[in-house]
Amino acid sequence: MPIRGGRPPSTYVPLFCRSHYSFLEGASRPGELLERAAAFGIGSLCLADRDGVYGAVRAHVKARETGLHLVIGVQVSIADGSSILLLAGDEEGYTHLCRLISAGRLRSPKGESAVEWNEVFAHAAGLIALWGGEESLLVQGPDPAFVARGLKEAFGDRLYALVTRHRRAEEVWRERRLRERARRYRIPTVAATEVLYHHTSRRRLQDVLTCIRHGGVRITEAGRRIKPNAEHDLKSPVAFQVLFRDDPDSVARTLEVAARCRFSLDTIRYRYPSERLPDGKTSGERLRELTFRGARQRYGGSVPERVRIQLERELEIIGKLAYEGYFLTMWDLVRFCRENGILCQGRGSAANSAACYCLGITAVDPVRMELLFERFISRERDEPPDIDLDIEHRRREEVIQYLYRKHGRTHAAMVANFVRYRARSAVRDVGKVLGFAETTLHRLARLVGRSDRLDRELIGSAGLDPGGSGDFLRLVAEIQGCPRHLSIHPGGFLLGQKPVQDLVPVENGAMHGRTVIQWDKEDLESLKLFKVDLLGLGMLTVIERSLRLIRDHWGESFTLAAIPADDPDTFAMIRRADTVGVFQVESRAQMSMLPRLGPRGYYDLVIVISIVRPGPIAGGMVHPYLRRRNGEEAVAYPHPSLEPILEKTLGVPLFQEQVMRLAVVAADYTPGEADQLRRDMAAWRRVGRIERHRDRFVSRMRAKGIDAEFADRVFEQIRGFKDYGFPESHAASFAHIAYASAWLRCHYHAAFACALLNAQPMGFYAPATIVDDARRRGVRVRSVDVRQSGWDCTLEREEDAPGAHAVRIGFRYVKGLGEADSKRIEEARRAGSFRSAADFASRTGLRQDVLDRLAEAGALGPSRRRETLWEVQGLAAAGGKDALPLESSGSAVSFSPLSDLESIHWDYQSTGHSPRGHPLAHLRDELDAHRLPAAAAVREMPDGRRVEYAGIVICRQRPETAAGVVFMTLEDETGFVNVILWRDVYEKFRVAVNTLSFMGVGGRLQSESGVVHIVADSIWRPELDLEPAAIGSRDFR
Amino acid sequence: MERTACVDVPALPLQLLLRERPEWEGHPAVVVDRERIQGRILWVNGRARALGVLPGMRYGAALALSSDLRADVVSGPSIEQAVVSLASRLRRLAPGVEASRDEPGVFWLVASGLSRLYPRLGEWARLIRDEVAGGGLRCSVAVGFSRFGSYASAKACERVVVFRTPEEEEAGIRGVPLDRLDLTPRVRQLLARLGIHTLGGFLDLPPSGIRSRLGRRAYRLHRLASGDLALPLRPDPPLEPAAAGISLDHAESDRGRLLLLMEELLAPLLEVLRGRHEVIASLHLTLHLDDRSRRNSTLRPAEPTLDGTQLLELLQLRMEATALPAGVTEIRMELGGVRPGDRQGELFRKASARDLGAANRALAQLRARFEGGVFRACLRPGHLPEARFTWETMEAVPLPRPRRIQLRPLVRRFFPRPVRLPRTGAVPAGAALRAAGRPAVRESAGPYIVSGGWWGSGTHREYHFVRSDEGPWLWIYYDRKREGWFLHGKVE
């Protein structure tokens, strides 16, 4: 038996262990089971989750750490309702196991699996079968002669009868029956307990999970759905022997079974699929040809020497590591996108590669930017490259289906994502099981919010008794991290030379036409498997649509690559923070940074994108960088050895790569350790991973003579990267898209705004803000009109301003109106113009609520909207498509006309925005009377002045890095005003801050480098005669 | 001229809820239709309304506006009960009371002919308000001339309003806000969007377009408000119980004679129920004895009936089972009536070998004979032996469906309460039994552990089956929490 580490042989092997990857059944992580087994001195453990190997890789990694021998098994569900345990004896057996589970999963609805006995017999080679347990035919129902004979024939001496004991009275007769039948069929018995948790303390969690699995039944009503005792823990060898003291042979046989299972995930042979190549070329030759062909195109015919040398070096490493196939796949995907007019661009560390740049995968020239190729691929690291491809989000599915078509469903499947419990979901599910009122739980879940913090104080705030919440708190803490179900990674694919289901079971995704493997991204990384990431990016959709509109309406053809670089007007606009809708630099925080940083070129954008991140903010790097950039502080380096690393960023580390290189140079990390540091930074929200680096990192830097304060700050930055940090290459790729979007906004605002409105929902701002921003920049926005509009917003030539275009709002913005309704309107319009509202209703056959919305939006006529609304009432019932066209009833009813403000209200209620004006524009006189200035006036006020302002809230944020400070953006017809609320002010005005959409703010003005904030000391509800409409606010995201 | 008053107890379900939960005072609170996130909000208090929580919202959406929001369901029966109770209170002050069938909390009162008792109707209205307040509820009262006029005014006013002339009432209701009237949210919202916020504006709309555009309910309201549809007041008659009694000159101990007296009482009561189109579901009998004590009994026939013979049989059985330490001086009898079911005739029903009707009649007789009722054991999905079954009242005999069994299983009889063995601590089962004076254990099996209930006080029992040379298998357990051995039963 391959037991490592020189452990003394243990007296038994637990063969029936289920982790929390048996969703909502097991209550311990695979790692906890293995750690406990190691503590007991048990040498082997078999993880046999239900119908899957979801936890196998994590268990495998932990087994390596603890020196245990891991047996991989699966509890396979059979179509007759019974089950059998199958253990992988060797690689062939593992392959069979994966195929068998895939067969069961793919034919069943999501979350279920069932195989036939004949399939079990057919996949027996290399597998060991343990037949028994509560659900087995060997203990239930009539004598299973057919199955017994089939199993005996298929598995031979690899078939065992599994005797399980959990100190339950009813097990006695079951075991008697099992032994009788085992004797009859000459099947040797093997002893086991069904392990559902590593320690009895998890029994409560297992009960709760069971209740959740049964639809959230209350624990007090769970009855026999939950286990009758706490005997499903991992037994110590002594306890196990006591339990089976009457049958030592069955105990000894556990060792025999484990010894027969020689398979390890280390032995799997994975090969990336090779591309079909023309002219009998090898992959390497093909990749070289494409790379240099691309290089000639990129560099205008002749490849610079530096680039050639870099490419040769990269191709050599790629060849040595046999990664050519992966690069060819990425090139092929980019080719497919180009040929089909789909915008795409590689992101992440791939931008460090000149080969990726020349193959057209990325848009950043790493040679010019002096990016480090080793950050992407390194021979020492020996891990596959990771290329993430951004694709315009509306067309990503086309690329996914292309990949399926090309490689076949057998050789391509999407990577899984485990949906795990977090505080909010835990509160809901655990609380429901414990019998709390759902309404109370919802309130508590809201209080927990995204903080993932739950304590007695919060429980008291929700109206529950904090004194009696001990079990609840403990269970909520324990369940967090438990996987609840399987979901699909946003765009990760696993491709294989062999069928994927020989490597890992494949199952159906919730979305039609999707298949998903049972491992997630981390599992693939652990096994060093290749992943292709296809990610949807809304801004690429906006750029593609903008370029198309420019071509159609201005007759000018641009491509993403051909957008003029370093345009001064574009950078001037960015410096003014006039960036609503611009990729990555549109947020409130970015807008506050732009005037201070004053970007003038592409690399400045790279810096801007990287600096407003939790990493640099938490590390206190932002202000030193700004001071140095503005010449207010000398550029200095904490140690001479750090100058080459930090030179680019004026001595202040901003990028992930810099932190890694700092670790190597200043803290003597080996490249491997630095890479582990990177992984720990990337493992979001995994508590403790980063902390283990602190002592070592800081003490070594100090030992090198680096200032302790600097070392601490760098480490804080590393901790910040835990939440979200950018590598330089990634920021460089994003800066490219950011610049393109800014250029479009600067020079073709109408097209940009139109495309942005059509790509919603995306980005930072609500459509109303995008519309108001366009209007402030002189773009006319026309309201939706049944005579003109289509589903999407369109551009219309401005008759009175040659060359200018107005945006016509599309039907997509009429609430409750679907794309099918839009088609009906357009079809009816093609047949002839509408004579009246009744004629329109009759010919389109639209529902009453849709007619109401259209009338309210002014789409049936912008004047006399109340009369139109009265007129369309009852029309949907009166006539359908086949009814005779009705003329207008010519109703004599007249209503009071809508005021300007009411018109805007109606627009907001029916379409979520108003092309007629900003809600506050018509209240300006009244606001002036209350001495409440407009945003434009606030911006002109001197620093330190006391100010009172009223505006509509469009954004509320409370970043984790801001120590409880809340930031808000308020808007009026002249622009934005940023508001800062210190923690005590926020606590004082919490309800008003969270609920008011139109808000008054009093405070002191803070104006610096053109960035203006009101530091609020009071919040109030402005007392006006009329209330403005609410604009959708982006809150605490 | 006829005077009519209307009493409006606004948001009655919410008032009932807040009366039940005084600790919610000062918090935003709502009544929801079900205790779910998707539950629809039916009523809101002022604090909740101030935070933007409105009727019709989903509870989840309302929580987004106020995380402090309190919510609960108020059941239909509790509302009905409150309406009955309020009507009863109002009858103390008004000769006729009609409770609204559509809006719980609205009552119309006959206000004519009260001038001698209450010269000023305003005073009378305030008394009504105080009477309702005595029940812990708040109301408004409008005294007017028409059903609709008083209703709309009561909805609009905060406390008390009295109209002196019909013209004053007519003018007054034009200013009533539409959101106080019973319109659907859709219609109310539509009218608001058309700029119509008061009853006056609503009345100005042409009647011809209202029905097709706003629906029947709005059309009816329009007709009522315009006087086109006037409905007379229909006060609910107070329902007298079907009860009768007889006082005896001399204490009577002879059961036969008592039964004859009961028969005499029963016959007219049956007629009363027949007149109400009801049948008897229960019979409550009270016997006053000469020693000043009382005997109360409730009898239920096999199924609701007007068959006097069946009832007399049951009375006879009950009388035979009832001890009478002294003679009876008074007999009171009250019948509980229900609407008869609409069961189809049984003409074509296949005759069954088993007569369930007869079985149920026998069951009713058993109930009459044994006052405690008839029970049967039902299986329950619990782990503890005593949680694996429960006793249920047997209301009717189901058609039996016996299962075929091949082997007669062993029968485990267990005691109603486990018998504690002498305190020995955590000794083996045999020692515990020996300490109880039982013979030495020859054979045993176990332990079989049942533990759980951690969400409550918790249980941990280790069961053993033990047998001595003589006697049956005993079923005992060690209770870890109570630190003792218990005899739970025997196996036959």
Side-chain angles (χ1 to χ4, degrees):
Chain A
M1 188 168 66
I3 296 172
R4 300 169 200 174
R7 282 175 186 282
S10 68
T11 49
Y12 96 106
V13 172
L15 291 174
F16 190 9
C17 300
R18 290 162 65 188
S19 72
H20 65 196
Y21 286 97
S22 291
F23 301 124
L24 303 179
E25 283 191 86
S28 292
R29 295 194 305 273
E32 288 172 328
L33 291 168
L34 283 148
E35 277 169 7
R36 180 97 170 145
F40 281 145
I42 294 171
S44 298
L45 179 140
C46 172
L47 184 72
D49 281 314
R50 190 182 284 278
D51 298 313
V53 295
Y54 307 99
V57 179
R58 280 168 170 80
H60 171 71
V61 171
K62 181 55 84 175
R64 267 201 308 227
E65 272 176 40
T66 52
L68 254 73
H69 167 228
L70 175 72
V71 177
I72 294 178
V74 174
Q75 186 183 12
V76 178
S77 300
I78 312 293
D80 59 16
S82 69
S83 70
I84 186 169
L85 244 65
L86 298 178
L87 277 46
D90 53 25
E91 191 172 351
E92 185 191 12
Y94 177 75
T95 302
H96 280 156
L97 193 57
C98 292
R99 285 183 194 164
L100 184 66
I101 298 165
S102 300
R105 287 279 182 188
L106 288 171
R107 74 161 68 96
S108 309
K110 183 176 166 5
E112 294 175 26
S113 178
V115 299
E116 299 292 339
W117 281 113
N118 284 333
E119 290 173 304
V120 176
F121 307 155
H123 289 85
L127 288 172
I128 289 160
L130 310 183
W131 195 24
E134 208 176 324
E135 297 170 7
S136 163
L137 290 187
L138 210 50
V139 296
Q140 286 187 339
D143 192 347
F146 165 75
V147 177
R149 275 195 281 272
L151 285 171
K152 193 78 185 144
E153 203 171 300
F155 288 90
D157 67 348
R158 289 176 286 111
L159 175 66
Y160 295 85
L162 188 71
V163 180
T164 56
R165 289 183 183 175
H166 309 92
R167 298 214 179 273
R168 294 165 62 177
E170 58 270 29
E171 284 177 340
V172 176
W173 66 262
R174 282 199 194 125
E175 185 176 323
R176 192 176 301 139
R177 181 185 276 180
L178 180 136
R179 287 183 185 277
E180 272 171 25
R181 290 176 176 179
R183 256 194 309 275
R184 191 179 313 148
Y185 298 110
R186 294 182 184 162
I187 306 171
T189 55
V190 63
T193 56
E194 183 192 24
V195 177
L196 293 173
Y197 32 84
H198 69 291
H199 191 274
T200 48
S201 61
R202 282 287 168 82
R203 185 264 172 104
R204 294 176 182 209
L205 178 62
Q206 205 276 326
D207 285 349
V208 169
L209 289 169
T210 305
C211 290
I212 295 170
R213 195 173 78 247
H214 285 283
V217 63
R218 284 187 182 193
I219 189 82
T220 48
E221 292 159 13
R224 286 205 287 270
R225 295 183 187 98
I226 57 176
K227 302 286 182 194
N229 58 33
E231 295 295 313
H232 289 263
D233 60 326
L234 184 67
K235 303 282 180 209
S236 70
V238 172
F240 194 80
Q241 276 178 327
V242 169
L243 189 63
F244 285 96
R245 61 176 171 260
D246 57 326
D247 188 7
D249 291 347
S250 294
V251 176
R253 231 169 260 130
T254 61
L255 304 173
E256 175 191 314
V257 170
R260 297 180 79 169
C261 296
R262 298 176 306 279
F263 171 73
S264 161
L265 282 175
D266 281 333
T267 64
I268 56 171
R269 289 186 294 275
Y270 168 75
R271 277 190 60 202
Y272 189 81
S274 55
E275 293 284 324
R276 287 185 212 97
L277 303 175
D279 310 329
K281 286 195 172 110
T282 65
S283 298
E285 288 164 352
R286 177 73 172 150
L287 183 64
R288 167 174 286 276
E289 178 191 325
L290 291 170
T291 306
F292 277 97
R293 189 194 296 167
R296 283 191 291 279
Q297 284 167 0
R298 286 281 194 200
Y299 296 99
S302 70
V303 182
E305 186 58 14
R306 273 178 69 205
V307 175
R308 194 191 60 73
I309 292 169
Q310 176 68 19
L311 287 176
E312 289 291 356
R313 198 165 68 87
E314 289 189 16
L315 289 172
E316 185 198 342
I317 295 174
I318 292 167
K320 281 200 172 140
L321 296 171
Y323 292 163
E324 297 98 331
Y326 182 68
F327 281 82
L328 288 174
T329 303
M330 298 313 296
W331 169 82
D332 182 57
L333 286 171
V334 171
R335 180 198 58 76
F336 171 81
C337 291
R338 296 251 158 82
E339 286 176 4
N340 289 279
I342 302 169
L343 270 194
C344 67
Q345 184 182 294
R347 69 153 82 161
S349 60
N352 290 286
S353 160
C356 283
Y357 177 62
C358 294
L359 289 168
I361 298 166
T362 56
V364 179
D365 182 351
V367 180
R368 188 166 65 90
M369 293 224 11
E370 297 179 354
L371 298 175
L372 202 65
F373 177 68
E374 282 69 22
R375 167 71 184 80
F376 179 47
I377 299 177
S378 122
R379 232 177 300 192
E380 291 75 32
R381 215 163 53 224
D382 184 28
E383 66 178 27
D386 183 15
I387 303 178
D388 298 339
L389 196 63
D390 284 324
I391 298 165
E392 52 177 294
H393 71 319
R394 292 278 159 81
R395 302 190 66 188
R396 188 175 69 117
E397 190 58 28
E398 292 176 45
V399 188
I400 288 174
Q401 292 307 326
Y402 169 71
L403 205 63
Y404 271 130
R405 277 200 306 279
K406 186 175 174 200
H407 293 274
R409 292 209 168 259
T410 50
H411 290 67
M414 295 198 78
V415 176
N417 175 43
F418 294 108
V419 176
R420 294 172 192 276
Y421 274 104
R422 295 188 62 181
R424 280 175 83 156
S425 48
V427 162
R428 285 206 180 93
D429 279 10
V430 173
K432 192 175 172 191
V433 168
L434 294 189
F436 295 168
E438 208 176 316
T439 45
T440 309
L441 288 174
H442 198 65
R443 191 162 70 234
L444 183 58
R446 286 199 72 85
L447 288 172
V448 169
R450 293 173 154 257
S451 67
D452 275 0
R453 181 184 69 93
L454 179 67
D455 51 29
R456 288 181 193 277
E457 188 191 335
L458 215 56
I459 284 179
S461 309
L464 292 168
D465 172 21
S469 57
D471 275 336
F472 178 59
L473 281 173
R474 187 167 53 246
L475 286 163
V476 165
E478 281 180 350
I479 203 173
Q480 288 186 58
C482 276
R484 198 185 191 290
H485 58 268
L486 191 78
S487 161
I488 300 185
H489 184 270
F493 262 94
L494 177 69
L495 305 176
Q497 177 74 19
K498 289 195 298 182
V500 170
Q501 54 185 264
D502 285 2
L503 186 69
V504 52
V506 175
E507 57 187 77
N508 292 315
M511 191 174 165
H512 180 71
R514 295 277 175 91
T515 45
V516 57
I517 62 170
Q518 293 188 337
W519 291 339
D520 72 358
K521 189 171 161 246
E522 264 188 56
D523 295 331
L524 296 192
E525 274 178 21
S526 300
L527 293 180
K528 298 183 177 174
L529 303 182
F530 286 73
K531 175 169 67 71
V532 172
D533 243 342
L534 306 177
L535 305 168
L537 191 66
M539 187 47 72
L540 286 178
T541 306
V542 174
I543 292 173
E544 198 279 332
R545 291 185 179 201
S546 299
L547 295 175
R548 207 185 315 161
L549 286 167
I550 293 168
R551 192 183 60 224
D552 294 347
H553 292 272
W554 281 267
E556 294 179 44
S557 287
F558 292 100
T559 62
L560 180 56
I563 284 174
D566 298 326
D567 176 58
D569 292 344
T570 302
F571 279 104
M573 182 191 83
I574 293 172
R575 282 196 298 278
R576 289 195 306 273
D578 186 7
T579 52
V580 170
V582 177
F583 186 58
Q584 287 289 315
V585 293
E586 64 170 339
S587 70
R588 173 204 56 76
Q590 287 284 10
M591 279 188 178
S592 302
M593 179 61 64
L594 291 171
R596 281 189 270 184
L597 206 138
R600 294 187 178 274
Y602 168 72
Y603 196 73
D604 290 344
L605 272 185
V606 178
I607 299 272
V608 168
I609 287 172
S610 307
I611 204 166
V612 185
R613 295 279 147 196
I617 292 171
M621 303 297 179
V622 177
H623 291 290
Y625 179 82
L626 287 175
R627 284 197 297 272
R628 291 178 185 196
R629 186 180 165 88
N630 296 333
E632 296 161 9
E633 181 179 303
V635 175
Y637 300 96
H639 191 273
S641 63
L642 303 184
E643 187 170 346
I645 303 169
L646 302 177
E647 194 179 2
K648 259 184 184 177
T649 51
L650 311 178
V652 180
L654 297 179
F655 302 118
Q656 213 181 54
E657 290 94 333
Q658 288 176 312
V659 173
M660 283 170 65
R661 287 172 70 188
L662 271 173
V664 173
V665 174
D668 292 334
Y669 271 53
T670 64
E673 288 169 338
D675 195 57
Q676 188 56 48
L677 176 65
R678 179 188 64 81
R679 284 164 181 276
D680 291 344
M681 283 194 284
W684 293 8
R685 301 176 191 281
R686 297 283 164 81
V687 183
R689 281 211 185 176
I690 284 289
E691 291 306 319
R692 61 188 179 184
H693 292 274
R694 178 187 273 278
D695 283 347
R696 184 170 161 197
F697 196 88
V698 174
S699 59
R700 286 194 194 173
M701 281 178 89
R702 290 175 67 177
K704 283 216 162 188
I706 294 170
D707 185 36
E709 189 250 333
F710 178 82
D712 280 335
R713 269 199 290 139
V714 172
F715 193 78
E716 282 309 306
Q717 182 175 359
I718 291 173
R719 292 183 72 214
F721 274 121
K722 172 176 71 72
D723 293 319
Y724 206 74
F726 271 0
E728 185 182 11
S729 51
H730 187 60
S733 298
F734 271 13
H736 190 250
I737 300 174
Y739 174 75
S741 60
W743 184 86
L744 288 166
R745 186 179 186 279
C746 182
H747 295 282
Y748 295 95
H749 195 107
F752 180 74
C754 185
L756 192 57
L757 286 170
N758 285 336
Q760 295 296 311
M762 62 159 282
F764 198 81
Y765 294 102
T769 303
I770 296 166
V771 166
D772 286 328
D773 177 64
R775 290 177 57 250
R776 279 196 291 272
R777 287 184 57 89
V779 176
R780 196 173 290 173
V781 181
R782 293 174 179 160
S783 61
V784 65
D785 189 327
V786 295
R787 294 165 303 176
Q788 307 289 339
S789 294
W791 171 246
D792 276 334
C793 301
T794 49
L795 290 182
E796 292 176 359
R797 193 175 291 278
E798 290 269 45
E799 299 304 332
D800 51 352
H805 289 78
V807 176
R808 168 71 68 186
I809 297 298
F811 290 124
R812 63 161 58 239
Y813 277 101
V814 179
K815 290 176 185 171
L817 190 145
E819 201 166 354
D821 297 326
S822 171
K823 278 186 185 151
R824 287 163 85 164
I825 297 170
E826 290 172 68
E827 270 172 31
R829 190 166 67 202
R830 276 194 288 275
S833 52
F834 302 117
R835 293 192 299 277
S836 65
D839 176 42
F840 173 79
S842 163
R843 282 166 51 197
T844 57
L846 294 173
R847 297 189 315 272
Q848 186 63 55
D849 61 316
V850 177
L851 291 174
D852 290 356
R853 285 293 186 200
L854 286 168
E856 286 169 1
L860 297 170
S863 62
R864 293 174 62 81
R865 281 200 259 177
R866 278 187 169 141
E867 283 77 4
T868 313
L869 181 60
W870 177 251
E871 199 175 336
V872 300
Q873 294 309 307
L875 286 183
K881 255 184 147 3
D882 302 327
L884 287 173
L886 297 169
E887 292 304 319
S888 167
S889 61
S891 166
V893 182
S894 69
F895 301 97
S896 55
L898 291 176
S899 67
D900 289 341
L901 188 61
E902 279 176 323
S903 288
I904 292 170
H905 265 274
W906 280 46
D907 288 340
Y908 270 87
Q909 280 167 4
S910 53
T911 62
H913 67 271
S914 176
R916 272 167 261 271
H918 192 277
L920 290 188
H922 299 280
L923 294 171
R924 183 51 56 198
D925 289 345
E926 203 180 343
L927 290 167
D928 287 344
H930 284 80
R931 297 187 176 176
L932 294 168
V938 172
R939 282 198 296 273
E940 300 304 319
M941 290 178 183
D943 181 43
R945 180 164 163 182
R946 167 97 202 148
V947 63
E948 291 197 334
Y949 169 79
I952 294 175
V953 184
I954 60 168
C955 167
R956 298 174 176 94
Q957 284 185 315
R958 191 151 53 126
E960 282 182 29
T961 49
V965 179
V966 170
F967 298 93
M968 291 195 295
T969 304
L970 274 58
E971 187 198 52
D972 64 30
E973 74 279 17
T974 65
F976 303 144
V977 165
N978 288 318
V979 178
I980 296 172
L981 290 107
W982 298 115
R983 179 199 281 266
D984 56 333
V985 180
Y986 172 65
E987 292 301 335
K988 191 172 170 188
F989 298 101
R990 177 194 282 264
V991 174
V993 170
N994 290 343
T995 57
L996 291 181
S997 56
F998 175 50
M999 184 185 287
V1001 179
R1004 193 70 58 187
L1005 202 75
Q1006 198 179 66
S1007 177
E1008 188 190 349
S1009 311
V1011 181
V1012 177
H1013 283 96
I1014 296 174
V1015 181
D1017 52 32
S1018 63
I1019 301 287
W1020 75 92
R1021 185 193 194 105
E1023 296 293 332
L1024 301 185
D1025 292 341
L1026 296 165
E1027 181 92 347
I1031 293 174
S1033 173
R1034 180 191 166 96
D1035 292 339
F1036 304 117
R1037 278 197 272 162
Chain B
M1 186 166 282
E2 293 291 315
R3 301 298 304 255
T4 301
C6 182
V7 176
D8 178 36
V9 184
L12 175 64
L14 181 69
Q15 289 203 50
L16 294 173
L17 178 65
L18 295 176
R19 193 174 65 178
E20 287 290 306
R21 307 249 193 167
E23 71 276 13
W24 286 11
E25 184 68 39
H27 294 277
V30 296
V31 175
V32 287
D33 63 352
R34 59 206 157 112
E35 209 183 60
R36 290 277 184 277
I37 302 307
Q38 300 80 10
R40 185 75 71 183
I41 291 179
L42 302 174
W43 305 96
V44 301
N45 73 354
R47 281 191 178 263
R49 198 178 282 275
L51 293 168
V53 178
L54 296 171
M57 275 182 175
R58 297 280 178 200
Y59 177 66
L63 266 182
L65 298 171
S66 165
S67 57
D68 189 31
L69 190 66
R70 294 349 195 209
D72 208 343
V73 174
V74 179
S75 69
S78 64
I79 296 172
E80 279 170 28
Q81 198 182 344
V83 168
V84 170
S85 159
L86 277 167
S88 162
R89 278 178 174 272
L90 293 172
R91 271 191 207 100
R92 293 176 196 164
L93 293 163
V97 175
E98 179 188 340
S100 169
R101 276 152 192 80
D102 304 321
E103 286 182 77
V106 170
F107 302 86
W108 284 277
L109 276 55
V110 174
S112 299
L114 295 170
S115 55
R116 287 183 176 242
L117 281 171
Y118 307 102
R120 288 146 65 115
L121 282 172
E123 193 60 34
W124 176 70
R126 274 185 282 280
L127 282 173
I128 287 174
R129 198 191 63 206
D130 294 345
E131 182 65 35
V132 174
L137 298 169
R138 180 174 50 81
C139 74
S140 59
V141 186
V143 186
F145 295 86
S146 67
R147 172 193 276 266
F148 184 82
S150 60
Y151 164 78
S153 306
K155 284 279 175 190
C157 76
E158 289 298 318
R159 314 191 81 179
V160 167
V161 63
V162 179
F163 292 113
R164 280 168 300 188
T165 63
E167 292 73 26
E168 191 184 54
E169 181 187 82
E170 198 178 322
I173 65 169
R174 283 190 69 83
V176 171
L178 283 178
D179 60 8
R180 302 291 177 92
L181 300 177
D182 184 29
L183 286 166
T184 62
R186 190 194 85 82
V187 170
R188 195 181 303 145
Q189 204 176 359
L190 177 65
L191 291 169
R193 295 187 75 64
L194 294 171
I196 298 167
H197 302 282
T198 63
L199 196 56
F202 181 56
L203 284 169
D204 291 341
L205 286 174
S208 58
I210 289 179
R211 185 168 182 156
S212 61
R213 289 180 167 89
L214 306 181
R216 289 173 62 180
R217 195 155 150 190
Y219 180 60
R220 186 170 183 273
L221 182 76
H222 195 272
R223 289 186 67 203
L224 282 168
S226 63
D228 191 25
L229 180 65
L231 298 174
L233 216 60
R234 286 178 299 179
D236 307 319
L239 209 58
E240 295 296 328
I246 184 168
S247 294
L248 308 178
D249 295 338
H250 304 286
E252 179 60 72
S253 301
D254 185 281
R255 288 180 165 79
R257 280 199 289 274
L258 285 170
L259 276 169
L260 280 173
L261 290 168
M262 288 176 198
E263 189 178 359
E264 281 175 24
L265 284 176
L266 186 61
L269 291 180
L270 287 173
E271 287 308 311
V272 170
L273 284 197
R274 194 170 279 127
R276 289 185 196 169
H277 305 288
E278 288 182 344
V279 287
I280 301 167
S282 63
L283 184 155
H284 187 74
L285 178 72
T286 306
L287 301 176
H288 294 260
L289 304 187
D290 203 21
D291 60 1
R292 295 180 179 271
S293 65
R294 276 193 295 188
R295 293 287 179 274
N296 289 308
S297 310
T298 301
L299 301 169
R300 276 178 290 120
E303 57 184 353
T305 180
L306 283 175
D307 182 359
T309 318
Q310 263 192 58
L311 293 167
L312 281 171
E313 273 176 21
L314 298 180
L315 280 168
Q316 186 178 355
L317 284 166
R318 176 55 51 89
M319 289 302 292
E320 284 169 6
T322 306
L324 295 174
V328 176
T329 55
E330 188 180 346
I331 304 171
R332 304 279 316 164
M333 192 183 281
E334 186 175 333
L335 301 186
V338 294
R339 297 267 166 200
D342 51 355
R343 228 172 49 173
Q344 288 286 332
E346 298 184 350
L347 189 61
F348 301 105
R349 195 168 152 189
K350 192 178 167 187
S352 167
R354 292 178 186 273
D355 184 352
L356 281 186
N360 282 321
R361 282 193 294 279
L363 191 66
Q365 288 170 356
L366 282 171
R367 275 200 299 263
R369 178 68 182 79
F370 301 100
E371 204 164 343
V374 182
F375 301 93
R376 64 169 178 174
C378 287
L379 294 179
R380 302 258 302 143
H383 284 303
L384 287 174
E386 61 268 34
R388 291 188 171 206
F389 70 94
T390 185
W391 293 111
E392 277 186 1
T393 311
M394 197 167 178
E395 295 290 347
V397 181
L399 196 65
R401 290 194 175 84
R403 263 191 318 169
R404 284 192 181 169
I405 48 170
Q406 289 172 334
L407 283 172
R408 181 182 168 274
L410 293 174
V411 175
R412 204 183 312 173
R413 291 193 189 281
F414 54 95
F415 306 129
R417 289 175 64 85
V419 180
R420 185 160 199 145
L421 299 179
R423 289 185 185 278
T424 53
V427 297
L433 284 169
R434 270 201 305 281
R438 291 182 179 266
V441 169
R442 182 166 60 83
E443 231 180 319
S444 76
Y448 304 114
I449 300 172
V450 181
S451 66
W454 49 264
W455 51 91
S457 53
T459 311
H460 185 105
R461 296 182 192 170
E462 293 164 10
Y463 278 92
H464 297 258
F465 292 93
V466 294
R467 186 161 66 165
S468 57
D469 285 332
E470 62 224 46
W473 280 93
L474 297 178
W475 190 36
I476 64 172
Y477 68 85
Y478 179 73
D479 190 320
R480 261 205 210 171
K481 289 205 75 174
R482 296 164 72 187
E483 295 182 341
W485 283 94
F486 292 81
L487 176 62
H488 206 156
K490 294 176 183 175
V491 181
E492 292 175 4

